[in-house]
Amino acid sequence: MIRTKKRMTVCGALTVLCLAFIWGNSLLPGEISGAISDEVGHILELLLPEEELLPEAAAFPLRKLAHFTEFTALGLCLTWLFGMLRKGRLPAFLCGAAAACLDESIQLFVPDRGPSLRDVGIDAGGVLTGMILLSIGYDCLCKRKKRHLGGT
């Protein structure tokens, strides 16, 4: 990945914002976090046809999907950052997994919240998914650019 000062700044800022969002949500007490999940569920119900309303049990998978999604975004950022630094994918993944562990550790100190090994696994899966998506996208972009410039 081509490294410029502007790209490094943008990528670094996005990575920090991603972590702030993730850890900021982990600092929310369980009651507030649950209310946010409920509100997202209500918004989704407005978007779905009336006969396909979400069941009451949808809050749990919705929270897990939120974990996965926010860590997918982190995986995208870390892959981009470490790619520009030429550090490789393993250190990027390890940083993402460490962020997931810290995320769950934060919840030890928040009322009505607690750590979960399952969430660390979901988070790490999200990081890996983000890494794969960015890698595939970057490879496709490089091939397209090569074709456009007259390469094979």
Side-chain angles (χ1 to χ4, degrees), residues 2 7-8 13 16 23 49 54 60 67-68 78 87 93 96 98 105 109 116 118 126 130 132 151:
I2 299 171
R7 287 180 182 169
M8 288 293 295
V16 168
W23 292 335
L54 294 173
F60 179 78
H67 267 270
F68 185 82
L78 289 172
K87 296 292 182 184
F93 177 75
S105 297
F109 307 102
S116 164
R118 174 180 34 209
I132 291 168

Side-chain angles (χ1 to χ4, degrees), residues 21-40:
F21 180 80
I22 290 168
W23 292 335
N25 282 328
S26 287
L27 288 168
L28 296 174
E31 185 177 318
I32 294 172
S33 177
I36 292 170
S37 295
D38 291 344
E39 190 60 34
V40 170

Side-chain angles (χ1 to χ4, degrees), residues 68 71-73 75-76 79 93 122-136:
F68 185 82
F71 276 89
T72 297
L76 289 165
T79 303
F93 177 75
I122 291 168
D123 299 346
V127 170
L128 189 59
T129 300
M131 294 176 72
I132 291 168
L133 289 174
L134 186 70
S135 297
I136 290 170

